[in-house]
Amino acid sequence: MELRTAASPKDVKHYTTDRLREEFLIDDLFAPDEIKLVYSHIDRIITGSAVPVKGTLTLTAGEELRAEYFLQRREMGVINIGGDGMIVIDGRQYRVNYKEGMYIGMGAKDISFASVDAAKPAKFYLNSAPAHKTYPTVLIRQDGEAQDGVVIVKPENKVELGTLEESNHRVICKYILPGQVESCQLVMGMTKLMPGSVWNTMPCHTHDRRMEVYLYFDMPKDALVFHYMGEPNETRHIIMRNEQAVISPSWSIHAGSGTQAYTFIWGMVGENQEFTDMDGCAMEDLR
């Protein structure tokens, strides 16, 4: 597990491109037959991935957590961006297909990942946060029928925003949030930009009460996203490519513009779970 410390905005405005990428970019996710984890001191979020190809991958706590098992004091959200996969949690098996997700509550001990077809391996993307209470473990689907252990995203949590004229026509699909999938602090979902649109989260905002991590994907090899960060009057950017993640501190804006449409997963942890608790940044104040 890689460890990342917190960073002060007073220092970040002096960082070089390499230093920005070293602190905030997670660029080596989704390695075949590996579980990769990055532990950030920013709200203690763990961002990671599991790509089972030849066999099953088992999630362990490692030395960094000083825990008997990974979710002894944590909760976790998972979204699969690859081929169909299987997650086994304390003996119960869940099939998690492309763009389906899971919330796994605190106290789940034995967690393993597998692919249905090794030729099309699953790519499980993980966000984990400290927890104080156990909420039910559920499989999350964008559509279909609800059943025992399966939650379907509610119509009000599929929101179409923006316009093609403003280059930000997009659909926000909220997976983990109060009233649909309960958690201690983790809020998680996915935003898909429509063809011809390239901007996300603009006009931009901050939320001092929560940090956020973005994972950009559904991008061809030669495409990229300019991810904007920093204080509104001291902005910086990081070049993002397919299946790379970026850590956004609570004091930082988080927005992007791509060379073409893309999809990104957002995960937030911190003081509250209010999706609309944002501090908007006026366009004329950005520098």
Side-chain angles (χ1 to χ4, degrees):
M1 190 183 304
E2 180 187 348
L3 179 66
R4 304 273 184 103
T5 55
S8 164
K10 294 180 180 179
D11 296 331
V12 169
K13 63 185 179 181
H14 300 295
Y15 286 0
T16 63
T17 296
D18 286 344
R19 182 69 187 280
L20 277 175
R21 294 172 69 85
E22 179 184 349
E23 293 290 337
F24 301 109
L25 176 67
I26 305 175
D27 64 352
D28 57 351
L29 287 168
F30 305 107
D33 291 311
E34 289 189 38
I35 293 178
K36 307 206 75 166
L37 302 169
V38 175
Y39 183 117
S40 174
H41 280 182
I42 303 173
D43 284 309
R44 302 284 170 175
I45 193 171
I46 294 177
T47 302
S49 62
V51 185
V53 180
K54 296 178 182 178
T56 299
L57 296 176
T58 300
L59 184 64
T60 61
E63 291 296 321
E64 293 81 2
L65 296 185
R66 300 294 194 270
E68 295 178 23
Y69 50 94
F70 192 87
L71 294 186
Q72 184 178 13
R73 300 182 296 269
R74 289 183 156 267
E75 60 186 358
M76 185 165 68
V78 182
I79 297 178
N80 182 11
I81 66 166
D84 295 349
M86 308 294 295
I87 302 178
V88 179
I89 304 167
D90 291 336
R92 180 170 179 177
Q93 182 171 274
Y94 299 84
R95 180 166 176 142
V96 185
N97 296 332
Y98 179 60
K99 290 187 177 178
E100 294 182 348
M102 288 205 72
Y103 172 79
I104 307 174
M106 183 183 74
K109 291 184 178 181
D110 299 317
I111 302 172
S112 61
F113 304 92
S115 294
V116 173
D117 182 356
K120 299 177 181 178
K123 293 181 178 180
F124 295 107
Y125 175 65
L126 321 174
N127 282 173
S128 173
H132 63 274
K133 179 180 178 179
T134 299
Y135 284 102
T137 292
V138 292
L139 175 65
I140 307 163
R141 292 176 176 154
Q142 291 195 21
D143 47 42
E145 294 184 4
Q147 51 188 284
D148 181 40
V150 179
V151 171
I152 305 301
V153 174
K154 296 179 179 181
E156 61 267 31
N157 289 328
K158 278 186 177 181
V159 183
E160 187 171 349
L161 295 174
T163 65
L164 183 59
E165 289 76 14
E166 295 178 310
S167 302
N168 66 354
H169 186 201
R170 64 202 188 277
V171 176
I172 301 174
C173 188
K174 304 169 187 176
Y175 284 49
I176 302 171
L177 77 166
Q180 178 170 277
V181 175
E182 301 297 331
S183 68
C184 294
Q185 62 169 315
L186 179 63
V187 178
M188 199 171 180
M190 180 185 301
T191 299
K192 178 179 176 61
L193 273 70
M194 298 294 102
S197 289
V198 297
W199 278 101
N200 78 69
T201 325
M202 184 62 71
C204 59
H205 61 263
T206 62
H207 27 68
D208 275 344
R209 294 145 298 281
R210 291 174 293 167
M211 63 82 66
E212 194 158 4
V213 176
Y214 277 8
L215 170 77
Y216 291 100
F217 71 107
D218 273 356
M219 298 162 56
K221 187 175 181 180
D222 59 350
L224 55 85
V225 172
F226 289 80
H227 177 85
Y228 304 104
M229 63 162 297
E231 294 178 292
N233 64 346
E234 286 280 356
T235 60
R236 301 291 185 270
H237 74 266
I238 297 176
I239 299 293
M240 308 288 301
R241 291 182 168 81
N242 191 45
E243 298 181 358
Q244 293 182 339
V246 61
I247 299 169
S248 178
S250 57
W251 49 262
S252 175
I253 65 167
H254 35 281
S257 60
T259 54
Q260 61 185 75
Y262 51 89
T263 305
F264 67 100
I265 294 171
W266 40 268
M268 297 181 281
V269 303
E271 186 68 27
N272 66 31
Q273 297 176 294
E274 297 297 324
F275 185 84
T276 56
D277 182 12
M278 306 171 187
D279 301 313
C281 304
M283 298 291 273
E284 60 265 26
D285 293 336
L286 295 176
R287 293 177 55 192

